[in-house]
Amino acid sequence: MTTVKQLILFILMTIILVAMGAGGCDDGNATRFPGENGAGDSDSDSDSDSDSDSDSDSDSDSDSDSDSDGDSNGYTSAIGEYDGYVGDHGRLRTDGYKIVDGNGDVIQLKGMSLFWPLWGGEEYFNKSVVEYVADDWKTTLIRAPLGVENNNQDAGYIHQSSSDREKMIGWVEDVVDGAIDAGIYVIIDWHDHWANEHKSEAIDFFERMGKKYGDYPHVIWEVWNEPEYGVQWSTIKSYADEVVEVIRKHSPNLIVVGTPEYSYTTHKAKDDPIDDFNVAYTHHFYVDNDSHTLKGSQAYIQSMIDGNLPVFVTEWGFEVSKLSGNKAYEDGGIFSITPVDDNVVGPWIDWMEENNLSWAFWSLSSQTEPGAALKADASTTGGWSDDDLWPAGIYIKEQF
């Protein structure tokens, strides 16, 4: 009998244990093993975290980051969040060698660069000018260069007192605010040839600008205008890595990094690119510059395309007076007193168009240099007729 009782007791205990294993007494603390409940976690989805979606993070999308839009690094398209052209196209980003808008469509921006402030360019750093070129010229881009230092002159932002630095930053902010109001894109440009020697100032500047404008999809960050001849890509990259990290604390927006030899030999960045999800590389050229040829630019940019790296022409212009048949810097320094030769300039514009290269023309100013768009007596608030423009200004206005 004892054996029978032991057998019955064993059967009863087995039934109880089976019932408990089916979940009837599970208090949520039972040991789980890989394969139980989908992926070894204690929730009701199929991943290994403690949320209710099917990925491994804590948000509500299907990717592995911590935002809710399906992209990394806090990027959102920003489509329709603002008025104007930016409202239609949203936040820019890179897609391989392409620059695309918030819809994922390839985009080409065309606009004007202002001139060095403190060297006379500041008179056009205002909202009225930005709104005028956006509305009347139909530009989609304006570039605001903070003149840091020019050819080691004892001038520029880094040589100014604290109060004068504030004034210069105020000029840049006026342009940025004007672009936001006008609904166009704006480049905040650290306009320097020796930025690696002014890294702490650049970091402070982009920290400040990032806090103020980092969320606006209008803003494009240009961290080093034109590295001086002799500055190697390794030096540029080392500087850019630190500045990009500062910007990324505040903004997922497109960042443009300068390249060797005044940003002409862009291809030298190809073999060791910046490790960031939304960076493009600068290309600058000046038509009729003895060192700049269309074939050279084409080869350098094709090399970048082959490397799946995007390029942005944040500055281009006219170098000397051969375009109009006059000697350089005659007649007050303005070469373009006769119409611009489209046979010379046109192929460069066509090439940028064919490759969807966004560009800013140098410069929206009344300076005595070949590419100045405005005559000396032109209004500093816009409203210009063709009589207020040099032929360079008339020609470039027709390209928008």
Side-chain angles (χ1 to χ4, degrees):
M1 293 294 294
T2 301
T3 302
V4 174
K5 288 180 179 180
Q6 289 174 336
L7 179 61
I8 294 171
L9 182 60
F10 175 79
I11 293 172
L12 289 174
M13 290 296 294
T14 301
I15 293 171
I16 292 171
L17 289 171
V18 170
M20 291 178 64
C25 298
D26 189 355
D27 62 359
N29 296 318
T31 302
R32 302 261 182 209
F33 297 93
E36 289 189 33
N37 200 23
D41 61 357
S42 58
D43 59 14
S44 58
D45 58 16
S46 59
D47 59 10
S48 58
D49 60 7
S50 58
D51 61 13
S52 58
D53 61 8
S54 58
D55 60 3
S56 57
D57 57 15
S58 58
D59 60 14
S60 58
D61 59 13
S62 58
D63 62 4
S64 58
D65 59 15
S66 58
D67 62 10
S68 58
D69 64 355
D71 287 297
S72 60
N73 301 287
Y75 175 89
T76 58
S77 70
I79 295 292
E81 294 182 10
Y82 295 89
D83 294 331
Y85 188 82
V86 172
D88 293 338
H89 292 277
R91 198 181 314 275
L92 305 183
R93 62 181 176 85
T94 60
D95 181 10
Y97 67 86
K98 303 172 184 177
I99 295 175
V100 300
D101 66 8
N103 297 305
D105 298 325
V106 174
I107 191 169
Q108 184 193 25
L109 306 182
K110 301 176 184 179
M112 298 295 294
S113 177
L114 292 159
F115 188 82
W116 294 83
L118 283 187
W119 285 276
E122 67 273 9
E123 59 186 348
Y124 295 101
F125 279 61
N126 61 72
K127 291 183 180 181
S128 295
V129 164
V130 177
E131 291 172 358
Y132 180 74
V133 295
D135 294 341
D136 191 78
W137 288 21
K138 306 304 180 185
T139 63
T140 55
L141 174 69
I142 190 77
R143 182 177 183 237
L146 181 74
V148 179
E149 185 177 33
N150 185 20
N151 296 326
N152 280 324
Q153 298 177 22
D154 188 19
Y157 176 79
I158 63 167
H159 297 292
Q160 303 307 302
S161 65
S162 177
S163 60
D164 285 341
R165 286 188 180 190
E166 287 299 311
K167 181 167 63 177
M168 293 184 73
I169 289 175
W171 293 335
V172 171
E173 290 177 338
D174 285 344
V175 175
V176 178
D177 292 341
I180 293 170
D181 290 345
I184 64 172
Y185 294 94
V186 56
I187 297 174
I188 298 179
D189 165 30
W190 184 257
H191 203 78
D192 194 356
H193 298 311
W194 295 271
N196 57 309
E197 298 179 7
H198 313 133
K199 183 171 62 178
S200 62
E201 292 90 347
I203 285 174
D204 289 345
F205 173 74
F206 284 110
E207 178 78 36
R208 175 173 176 170
M209 293 293 102
K211 287 180 179 178
K212 185 167 185 177
Y213 296 113
D215 289 336
Y216 287 95
H218 311 69
V219 172
I220 300 165
W221 310 100
E222 185 174 6
V223 299
W224 188 343
N225 162 51
E226 290 177 340
E228 180 61 72
Y229 285 110
V231 179
Q232 302 300 309
W233 170 246
S234 58
T235 299
I236 301 168
K237 182 177 184 292
S238 176
Y239 160 89
D241 284 341
E242 294 190 51
V243 178
V244 167
E245 183 178 358
V246 170
I247 294 171
R248 285 288 173 252
K249 294 192 300 182
H250 308 289
S251 178
N253 291 9
L254 179 67
I255 298 173
V256 188
V257 177
T259 54
E261 298 176 25
Y262 281 71
S263 291
Y264 180 62
T265 54
T266 308
H267 65 296
K268 292 184 177 181
K270 176 183 175 181
D271 293 334
D272 188 20
I274 304 293
D275 183 16
D276 183 84
F277 77 105
N278 201 9
V279 161
Y281 300 84
T282 308
H283 187 68
H284 289 181
F285 64 85
Y286 278 80
V287 179
D288 248 16
N289 182 306
D290 291 336
S291 300
H292 298 174
T293 66
L294 179 56
K295 286 185 177 180
S297 286
Q298 289 172 330
Y300 297 157
I301 302 314
Q302 187 59 52
S303 178
M304 295 295 281
I305 291 172
D306 292 344
N308 212 28
L309 297 172
V311 174
F312 199 124
V313 181
T314 59
E315 181 181 319
W316 73 278
F318 304 148
E319 179 68 15
V320 295
S321 64
K322 289 185 288 185
L323 293 172
S324 62
N326 298 307
K327 292 182 180 179
Y329 302 102
E330 279 190 346
D331 300 286
I334 303 297
F335 89 96
S336 56
I337 58 175
T338 57
V340 174
D341 187 350
D342 186 60
N343 291 322
V344 177
V345 182
W348 292 82
I349 294 175
D350 292 343
W351 165 68
M352 290 189 287
E353 189 86 22
E354 291 165 3
N355 289 278
N356 294 301
L357 296 174
S358 294
W359 55 260
F361 181 82
W362 184 272
S363 67
L364 188 61
S365 74
S366 59
Q367 297 301 300
T368 54
E369 67 170 25
L374 306 172
K375 294 181 179 179
D377 57 353
S379 167
T380 58
T381 58
W384 310 300
S385 70
D386 282 359
D387 290 338
D388 298 313
L389 308 179
W390 289 108
I394 294 172
Y395 179 84
I396 207 65
K397 185 180 74 168
E398 294 172 350
Q399 309 306 317
F400 300 122

